[in-house]
Amino acid sequence: MKNLGLIATLMLASVPVSASDSLDICLVTGHPVSDIKYEKIQRIKIGKNSYGSVTDVLQVFADKADALGANAVVNYVGSQRFGFWPWRFVRPVVRGEAVKLYFSNGQTCRDIGGATVREVIKTNKEPHHI
């Protein structure tokens, strides 16, 4: 019986756990300052197929970055882009590179010139303007 409990504990300890809510992902509109180390994961791009705001697609964008194991997105750009029929409508598109940032000395997203997805949705401003 004791072995069964030990095995169950070891199995639970090996399950990957999300570090935080996807809305806590840090968005940086360029590269972080040189003293911040990061590991590139993958470029991501999410767009909406119809008219709307960039904030309409940020949750899906954050979920994608979180699923890749990222805690930040560098070179973030959120903009209105022309669709297939440019004279008809524009659509929101967000893109950037999902990365794993290694903060040091208690630094936060705001300290490196970024903002969380939650803050961008709440204020509807680019991360460097928050």
Side-chain angles (χ1 to χ4, degrees):
M1 213 47 160
K2 289 181 182 179
N3 288 340
L4 183 59
L6 178 62
I7 291 170
T9 303
L10 291 174
M11 287 175 63
L12 286 174
S14 66
V15 173
V17 178
S18 178
S20 63
D21 182 10
S22 64
L23 293 177
D24 292 330
I25 288 180
C26 182
L27 302 176
V28 180
T29 55
H31 287 289
V33 291
S34 62
D35 65 333
I36 299 293
K37 293 182 181 12
Y38 62 94
E39 174 186 339
K40 296 178 181 181
I41 299 174
Q42 180 180 333
R43 295 189 58 74
I44 51 177
K45 179 179 174 182
I46 302 289
K48 188 174 177 186
N49 291 328
S50 63
Y51 181 79
S53 169
V54 168
T55 59
D56 294 345
V57 294
L58 272 176
Q59 177 71 57
V60 175
F61 185 74
D63 291 343
K64 173 72 174 173
D66 189 44
L68 292 170
N71 66 351
V73 174
V74 298
N75 291 324
Y76 165 80
V77 176
S79 62
Q80 295 288 334
R81 306 286 297 205
F82 287 110
F84 180 73
W85 304 105
W87 58 89
R88 300 280 177 155
F89 67 92
V90 293
R91 65 192 188 102
V93 176
V94 290
R95 63 186 185 276
E97 187 163 4
V99 300
K100 182 71 173 176
L101 277 179
Y102 299 102
F103 293 104
S104 60
N105 301 327
Q107 288 177 317
T108 64
C109 182
R110 188 171 297 253
D111 294 337
I112 63 169
T116 64
V117 173
R118 180 176 281 110
E119 292 170 325
V120 171
I121 290 172
K122 182 178 177 182
T123 63
N124 199 21
K125 293 182 181 179
E126 290 287 322
H128 62 278
H129 289 297
I130 296 177

